[in-house]
Amino acid sequence: MADQEKEKSQELGLIDITEILSDYLRIFRRMWAWVLIFTILGAGLSYVRARLQYQPVYTASATFTVNIQREQQGVADTGSASFFNNSTAEQMAKTFPYILTSGVLKRKVAKDMKVDAVPGSIKATVAENTNLLTISVTDQDAGRAYATLKSVEKNYPSISEVIVGKVNMEMLDETGIPAEPDNPKAFRKNAVKGAAAGLLLVMIWTGILVVTRRTVRKESDIHRWMNTRCLGTVLEVHEKRRSRSTTMRMILTDPKVEEKMQESFRIIRNKIEYNAQEYHMKTFLVTSALAGEGKSTVAVNLALSLAQAGQRVTLVDCDLRHPTDRQILGIEENGVGLREVLEHKAKLKECLMKAEDIGLDPDMRMIFLPGGKTISDGSDLLGTELMGRIIEKLEEISDFVILDSAPAGLLTDAVVLAQYADGAAFVVRKDFARVDYIMDGMEHLAESNIQIIGGILNGV
């Protein structure tokens, strides 16, 4: 039993990691524009900075053998003489930093070169267990570095003689005037590093979003964050466009729509029908927290699905600020609708469109009331007594009335319409609106005491 629980916990951990990686990749792909901007910006800044800060550095060096100069006093011990010469070279290298620090050599070289201060840097190194001493001068000017080296060669022995005795320095090798800088130009390399840094910054940013950004990503999140059940998930459906001017219509009556979308709305329809029968509901409000979550597409297809099942359905586009149901159904934009009825500019019968008027099968018992011309603020019209009477008339001729409302998290229209509806379905687009925005929209609806029957996860 313990082994099974352990295996189950390991599987859940693996699922969590997989979901995190999947969320990371999805958000990272969504941020492609930022990836491009930061990569180009990083590469450009690094390239410009490298060019502005670039200063060539040249090193001129010379290698010498160091030998002690002493008077002839019998036969010399060759081995001891060699050891003493090696020690002399090492001693000269050790005294070099002191001589430089004290400024004795620099002053003498500066005087010799007729300058106020020695340009560049000077150092000396000795090969281990040898009498080879290398003096090098580094400067931003190749000719000046070589001139400084020649002056050091000339003046260094006389200064070190005070410490290690009289020595003889014989040159073995010299670079001459350096032809190439020690730090060659690497502007492209710097640009690549900058681009990599920009890409890394976006990757870190994406990771922070994955960890901190709370959105609804799966059906269980609806119950977790919204404290309501999930009525169903609208699966992602792709449809190729023949041209840019062609509007993509994702409605159930379109023969191009895949079966999985039909099945998605059948599941949602069954739950709506259950609520209608169990709790004596007839009018349903469809809304969302923010614009762009697909609530109008869901409302239209829910009405179509109910009509396909033989129900008498009336779809009302109550989003007077941005009515889109006409476009989704493929109907011409011009025409009167709910707004004109509420303003007493048209009669209700004149605005109702039957199935054949919408281009649907005449046997489908569906009626559509479009929104009409747009208005900046439709809440005042929707809150009138006339709106209540319109809903009552539609309920008399329908089994279901679907009210497509403006987003509840942004506007008061949904709250006003809630007084006419028996229940509300809250559409949530997958990984779109933040949880706090969704909760704000649901709280606004809760103030009207409407029953929220569940959420619909829109993955389209």
Side-chain angles (χ1 to χ4, degrees), residues 59-64 109 113 118-119 122-123 134-138 143-156 171 173-178:
T59 298
S61 61
T63 302
F64 305 87
V109 170
M113 296 179 65
V118 176
I122 310 169
K123 68 176 183 178
T134 299
I135 299 176
S136 58
V137 177
T138 302
R144 192 168 58 193
Y146 182 69
T148 304
L149 174 66
K150 300 302 291 184
S151 181
V152 171
E153 293 174 8
K154 176 182 176 183
N155 295 286
Y156 178 56
M171 182 184 296
D173 185 32
E174 185 182 73
T175 60
I177 300 176

Side-chain angles (χ1 to χ4, degrees), residues 27-28 53 75 87-88 109 125 153 155 233 257 314 316 351 372 410 418 457:
I27 294 176
F28 188 79
Q53 294 183 348
V75 180
S87 299
T88 302
V109 170
T125 57
E153 293 174 8
N155 295 286
T233 300
V257 172
T314 299
V316 185
C351 299
L410 299 176
L457 183 59

